[in-house]
Each structure stands twice: as C-alpha cells, then as structure tokens.
Amino acid sequence: MSDAVPAADPQAMAVAVEGASKTFNPGRANEVKALEDIDLDIGQGDFVTLIGPSGCGKSTLLRLIAALIDTTEGSVLVNGKPADAARLDRDYSMVFQRAGLFDWRNVSRNIELPLELMGWKAADRRRRSAEMLDLVKLGEFARHHPAELSGGMQQRVAIARAMSFHPKLLLMDEPFGALDEMTREHMQNELLRIWSETRITVVFVTHSIPEAVFLSTKVVVMSPRPGRIAAVIENDLGERNEATRDDPAFFANVTAVRNALRGGH
Amino acid sequence: MTGSAAGAGEDAEAVDDPMVFEQLLRQRAAREQRRARMRRTGRQVVVLGLFICLLAVLYSLYKVVGGGIDDAQSDWPLIGSILPESDDLKMPPVLDIVSGIFDEPRGTDEPFWSIVGKEAAFTLREAAVGFAIGVVVGLGIAIVLTTSGRLERALVPHVIASQTIPLIAIAPIIVIWGRKSFDFLPFEWQDWMSVSIIATYLTFFPVTINGLRGLQSPRPENLELMDSYAARWGQTLWRLRLPASLPYLFAAFKIAATASVVGAIVGEISAGVKGGLGRRVLLEAQRYTTGPERLYIAVLGAAVLGIFVFAAISSIEYALVGRKGRETVT
Ligand SMILES: Nc1ncnc2c1ncn2[C@@H]1O[C@H](COP(=O)(O)OP(=O)(O)O)[C@@H](O)[C@H]1O
Ligand SMILES: [Mg+2]
C-alpha cells in the first residue's frame, strides 16, 4: 500500500491540468464536448473555487482531477503524479452535494469507511473518527444514524469522512448547494476554520458568487459550450470572518466575478 | 440514540447551538414514531384475531344457507346452480375441526395437532434448506450479473424462462436424480433433500431479480465515492452494494420463504416423499370420508407454516434494517 509509493514531490503543484479536453460519447449521436483546452494550476494549500453556469463542466473537471473519468486529450497531474496514481495513493478525497452517508452505519462508522478500505486497525479508526468528530464539532452524535441528522449535520459528517485519512487535497462538488442560506454561511465558516487549521488544498465547485468570493484564494470562472476557463480571479481577502461579508474588497471581487461570468470585464 | 444528547432533551431550552436544538426535536419525533408503531402492531394482532373469527362465522353461516340448497334447487334454480351445496361431509362444522385438532386419530396415541406439528417441522426443514440454497444461488447469480451489463442482458431472460417450467413436472425428475445420481456426495442422499432442491427452484428467482435491483440501487455518487477511495470491487460489494440491497433482498426473502413452503408441499406430493405436510394433505384427501376435519386441519397447518416463515423473515428484517430509517438509502 502506501509504503510502496514514492513520496510526493513537496514542490509539485497540487493540481496541474494541461490542455485537457473531455468529450462524452465521442463519435456518437449524443456526443457532448464538456471541456475544451483547460489549463489550470493549483498550488499547495490554495483554496480554489470553480464557478460557472450549470452544465459548463465544473463537475466534469473535478472528476478529471479525481481520475474518476479519463481526459480525451491533455494531462492531469495531482501532486506531480498522473491523476489515477494519485487516486490509488489516496492523495485526495471528495465531497458531493448529497452527503451520501451510508444510512446503515452510524456517524462514527461512516467516518471510518475510508480507513476501513485502507486496512486500518479498529482502535486506530476509532481514535481518528473521534478526532474528526471534534474537528467538525459533532462529538456527541457519534452513535447517531444519518437519517436522524439534519442536512447541514450530514454534510459535516461527509467532510469529516473525507478528511479522516488526512488527504492532501479536498475536492468538493457544490457541497453546500442543498442547504438553506443560514446553514450554508455557518458551514462556510466551519470549512474555512478547518482549512486554516489543516492547510489542506481545496478545490470547491459552486454556482454562488458570494460563496466563491468568501471562501477562496482564487476564483476560476468557467463558461459553457464547450466548457472553458473564462477568467481566473485572484481573491486575496486575507483572514476571513463574518466581517469579511460586509467588506468593500469582498464586494469588489463579487462584482469582478459577476462581470467575468457575464463575459465582459 | 440515547447518550448525552437525549439526556439533554429534558432542558432543551438551555441549548443554544441551533443544530443541536434541531437534533433534539428530531429525537422527540422519532420517539413518538416508535410508540405509534407499537400501537399499530397491537392493533394488527387484534384485527387478525377478529378476522379469523369472522371467517369462522361466515363459514358457519354458509353451512346454514348451503345446507338447504339441494332441497331448494327447484325453488331457487339460479342460486342452487351457482353455489355449491354444503353438508357436514363437505364442510365439517367449526367445532368438529377444533376438536379434531386435539383428537387422537385411530391407530395412534398422539393428538392430531402433534402429528401435524411434527410433519410441519419436517416440511419446514425441507423448505428452510431449499430457502437457504435458493438465497445463496439467487444472490450469487445477482452478484455475477452485477459485474457486467452485457451479462445481465444476456442472462436475465434465461432466469425468467426457468420459472416457466412447471414445478410438478420437474419434481419427479429431481427425486429420481437424487436417488440414482447423487452418490458421489459425502453423505447419503435422502428424498427430503430432493424436495429442498424443488423448493430452491422457486426461491432463487425472486432473490436474483430483487437482488439485482438492490445491488444496482446505490446512487452513482456513492459508487464514485468508493472509486475515489480506490476501493476494490469486493470492498464496494461488501460495504456498499450489499448493505444497500438489504431492503430489496428482504422483500424477496419474504416472497421466497412462503414460496419455499409451497415448493416443499407441492414437491412432496408430486414426488411422493413421505413424512411431511404434503403427504399428510394427500393422505387425508384419500380417506376424507372417515374424517373430513383432518384435511381441513392439515391445510390450516400448512397456512400456519407459511405465516410462520413470513413472520420469521419479517422480524429478522426489522432487527437488521427496520430501525434505521431506511427511507434515506442513498
Ligand atoms: N457521463 C456523462 N455522459 C454524457 N454527458 C455528460 C456526462 N457527464 C456530464 N455530461 C455533460 O457534460 C456537460 C458538463 O456537465 P457537468 O460537468 O456536470 O456540468 P456542471 O457541473 O458545471 O453543471 C453537460 O452538458 C452534461 O450534460
Ligand atoms: Mg455539477
């Protein structure tokens, strides 16, 4: 397993996408050109959001990085390795819009799932899942079942599960998209806290402009048909907290992202 | 479900985290639901008892009406030709049936319920072995079919076609094979085992069909999640596909369990295997005139056996998946 794997180059980009294209069902009547000529570099410790209208290929790009699907052209490197090698090395973890917890497992055992797959001993798993529950502040719900939890709490468990084996990279596909606005802002604060505590690299898909600007160090704006990167907006808001949401710099960047989405500058 | 959070339920006002507060409300609702379910179960038992009484009353009432039909045929030609006439031979009185349960049939020193009970146990063993083999075979086929869509499309029609062969036709063949050909086995083949094979034939089918649906029931993103963890195929099967298919499988198990009893009884009758309920039904039909109530009791025994296996599977299901809100299978 992991000891057979060469250590990742610490200098390598967390994600390096070069000239990547993705065509679904090529040559058939239902051919879809989902992504065309994508170049994207994500540094270690960055928090990058992908934003764009529905159908512009955000999820597809995330799946390419995760090596859940193959590129039609171009290459994807994760921590300096081909994406699929990174997947096999468990370099990253994913969080989806639906928490996707296994409802026959309690919260703690859900968090242990990836650890089980990696062959961890029960005692180590127990200890790590307790740590993770503390990280997402759900300590007292370890033995609850997912069906008993609200949507926001389920998503926190999903994040704990994703972080349980300390991956270097977190890939999130509209993780807060199904939550109400209040819960959503609460979750954004929590995610930023976790990010600054762990310094994990995050690639975060959203179609909410304020969410993208509040969370990320870099906003990647995508345009549809075929999916391309329209603009990359550096978003240096420094230390973020509730006051950031009322900060003029925050609003300036919201406007910049909105203009980029409209296709003008 | 208990623990500190439930303990804090008493002073919910003191909780300031909105998520924890919401959680406490949910738990209260879940407790209510549990209580409602118990009340429902109690009502169901009462209703079942009343229903059985109602059937006995209707049965007795019909005897009153039907007893006159033959005489009245000229008066009510229509009714007389549609409804069968009844007398104590065709429809033994309810009280005869009840007392027949406790009588000792001539030539034995054992009450009839005990004889039928032992035969029911014999049939239950045939059915249970058939059910177990059917579950293993059915699930095995479903797992193999899950590996490839092409395999599924190619084989499912054959699985369905297998059920068009009449059970009664293959039963004697299986018994003959068992007696003549299965001597390579490390144990001596017995006729009841052939009956189990016959029962298997009915039980594997629902397990395969529902198992296939259940194994394919996880959402794509849950399968992607397993892929993203670089899970092996067997890990995904054991930790995702199989648990997700439990509700589907138990629906099939309930059908299969009752089918296994039917298969065992029909198998006994058509293959001429001694010792079980099927044989008893055949015997009591042959000597019907000397004790019509015994045939009724034998048939009631078969019905009770069917209900018993259904209830047994249901309670296992409740213990395994019932409690955990399976409405959110993801
Ligand atoms: N598995 C697939 N097969 C065929 N087409 C797909 C598949 N996945 C995505 N697409 C198509 O690719 C395009 C981009 O999809 P997606 O990446 O899901 O967009 P987004 O996440 O930005 O809403 C859409 O037109 C979608 O229909
Ligand atoms: Mg998407």
Side-chain angles (χ1 to χ4, degrees):
Chain A
M1 251 184 12
S2 55
D3 32 42
V5 164
D9 175 5
Q11 304 302 315
M13 281 286 170
V15 177
V17 182
E18 224 181 278
S21 300
K22 178 68 193 179
T23 307
F24 289 107
N25 311 315
R28 290 203 247 143
N30 54 352
E31 176 177 302
V32 180
K33 204 157 191 127
L35 290 174
E36 192 171 72
D37 202 20
I38 301 287
D39 290 308
L40 179 65
D41 281 342
I42 297 173
Q44 300 288 354
D46 281 0
F47 195 129
V48 172
T49 48
L50 307 179
I51 191 168
S54 168
C56 73
K58 305 180 293 294
S59 299
T60 304
L61 180 52
L62 211 64
R63 280 170 174 70
L64 283 182
I65 297 170
L68 295 173
I69 52 177
D70 292 329
T71 53
T72 312
E73 278 169 57
S75 70
V76 179
L77 297 182
V78 173
N79 294 326
K81 301 173 266 199
D84 202 49
R87 180 179 72 92
L88 295 174
D89 289 353
R90 277 108 174 191
D91 274 11
Y92 73 84
S93 220
M94 287 196 87
V95 177
F96 300 90
Q97 177 167 5
R98 264 189 248 268
L101 303 177
F102 294 0
D103 67 319
W104 51 89
R105 286 170 172 249
N106 65 26
V107 163
S108 177
R109 298 251 299 125
N110 262 289
I111 295 172
E112 289 174 33
L113 173 74
L115 308 177
E116 276 175 34
L117 297 174
M118 297 164 77
W120 285 38
K121 282 203 212 62
D124 297 338
R125 295 200 307 257
R126 237 22 54 86
R127 196 172 322 116
R128 181 57 68 82
S129 98
E131 280 171 31
M132 286 299 129
L133 279 168
D134 286 343
L135 181 72
V136 297
K137 297 184 178 160
L138 285 177
E140 60 218 291
F141 298 106
R143 305 185 63 79
H144 284 58
H145 279 267
E148 304 168 278
L149 305 182
S150 69
M153 295 169 96
Q154 291 188 19
Q155 204 54 277
R156 290 206 292 203
V157 177
I159 292 171
R161 175 179 64 185
M163 308 269 299
S164 63
F165 58 98
H166 293 174
K168 302 186 190 79
L169 174 63
L170 193 56
L171 305 175
M172 309 179 87
D173 194 349
E174 301 190 31
F176 308 149
L179 304 180
D180 62 84
E181 194 60 27
M182 293 301 294
T183 311
R184 194 173 176 141
E185 291 193 354
H186 183 64
M187 294 292 288
Q188 289 165 358
N189 295 340
E190 289 297 298
L191 179 60
L192 278 180
R193 175 181 61 77
I194 291 169
W195 175 66
S196 62
E197 279 174 20
T198 59
R199 283 289 145 190
I200 189 170
T201 311
V202 182
V203 184
F204 187 105
V205 169
T206 179
H207 47 224
S208 157
I209 300 173
E211 182 166 84
V213 174
F214 182 68
L215 287 176
S216 54
T217 55
K218 194 152 94 173
V219 183
V220 175
V221 178
M222 297 181 63
S223 65
R225 272 174 292 278
R228 292 172 196 270
I229 292 178
V232 177
I233 295 167
E234 296 296 333
N235 181 43
D236 187 12
L237 297 177
E239 184 79 13
R240 271 151 292 179
N241 50 41
E242 273 305 313
T244 313
R245 296 185 195 274
D246 303 318
D247 190 338
F250 172 77
F251 288 115
N253 284 356
V254 165
T255 308
V257 172
R258 183 172 294 126
N259 286 338
L261 275 168
R262 284 181 188 144
H265 281 271
Chain B
M1 263 143 270
T2 48
S4 56
E10 277 73 67
D11 53 347
E13 281 69 41
V15 177
D16 50 2
D17 184 333
M19 279 191 176
V20 172
F21 182 73
E22 193 182 339
Q23 180 62 23
L24 295 172
L25 292 181
R26 271 161 201 279
Q27 272 167 353
R28 205 164 293 164
R31 262 201 306 276
E32 281 300 308
Q33 246 171 15
R34 260 197 304 282
R35 253 178 238 137
R37 193 162 49 228
M38 303 240 302
R39 277 198 298 273
R40 217 165 33 240
T41 313
R43 258 202 313 275
Q44 276 167 353
V45 170
V46 171
V47 167
L48 181 68
L50 286 175
F51 182 70
I52 291 172
C53 291
L54 179 71
L55 279 183
V57 167
L58 286 177
Y59 179 90
S60 305
L61 273 178
Y62 182 81
K63 281 176 61 63
V64 173
V65 177
I69 281 179
D70 199 33
D71 305 334
Q73 195 143 16
S74 46
D75 298 340
W76 308 327
L78 200 65
I79 296 178
S81 59
I82 293 174
L83 295 176
E85 77 167 308
S86 97
D87 52 39
D88 282 357
L89 183 60
K90 285 175 178 148
M91 295 176 71
V94 171
L95 284 180
D96 280 9
I97 297 177
V98 173
S99 67
I101 294 175
F102 302 99
D103 285 349
E104 295 169 7
R106 201 159 343 135
T108 67
D109 52 0
E110 207 178 352
F112 195 53
W113 63 261
S114 159
I115 299 175
V116 171
K118 281 178 190 155
E119 288 167 342
F122 181 88
T123 299
L124 177 62
R125 178 179 61 175
E126 293 166 341
V129 170
F131 174 79
I133 301 173
V135 166
V136 171
V137 171
L139 200 52
I141 294 175
I143 289 172
V144 168
L145 294 186
T146 307
T147 57
S148 130
R150 191 176 298 173
L151 208 58
E152 183 194 341
R153 280 189 297 279
L155 287 187
V156 165
H158 295 281
V159 172
I160 293 170
S162 75
Q163 297 299 301
T164 62
I165 303 172
L167 196 63
I168 295 181
I170 55 166
I173 302 179
I174 292 177
V175 173
I176 290 166
W177 281 359
R179 286 181 189 150
K180 296 246 162 78
S181 322
F182 291 171
D183 43 13
F184 58 87
L185 291 169
F187 53 88
E188 198 181 342
W189 189 262
Q190 286 166 342
D191 278 352
W192 70 263
M193 298 176 187
S194 301
V195 175
S196 294
I197 304 286
I198 295 164
T200 296
Y201 198 75
L202 286 188
T203 53
F204 91 94
F205 179 71
V207 176
T208 294
I209 296 299
N210 268 27
L212 199 54
R213 280 187 51 202
L215 290 170
Q216 293 170 342
S217 69
R219 292 179 186 286
E221 66 254 36
N222 276 7
L223 292 168
E224 281 194 328
L225 182 79
M226 296 301 274
D227 272 354
S228 78
Y229 294 139
R232 289 187 300 277
W233 187 84
Q235 290 180 315
T236 302
L237 177 70
W238 185 246
R239 294 200 163 75
L240 174 58
R241 289 187 187 273
L242 273 176
S245 62
L246 278 187
Y248 296 82
L249 283 175
F250 271 103
F253 291 168
K254 281 186 263 186
I255 299 168
T258 34
S260 72
V261 172
V262 171
I265 289 174
V266 172
E268 282 175 19
I269 291 176
S270 58
V273 172
K274 293 192 191 75
L277 272 185
R279 184 64 170 196
R280 170 61 52 186
V281 168
L282 203 61
L283 179 68
E284 298 303 344
Q286 279 161 0
R287 58 177 199 190
Y288 185 74
T289 45
T290 65
E293 72 279 356
R294 285 198 300 266
L295 179 59
Y296 277 72
I297 295 167
V299 171
L300 282 176
V304 169
L305 184 59
I307 294 171
F308 169 75
V309 295
F310 186 90
I313 302 288
S314 295
S315 33
I316 296 174
E317 175 184 29
Y318 183 73
L320 239 55
V321 289
R323 277 196 290 259
K324 298 173 189 164
R326 74 198 115 122
E327 60 277 2
T328 57
V329 171
T330 46

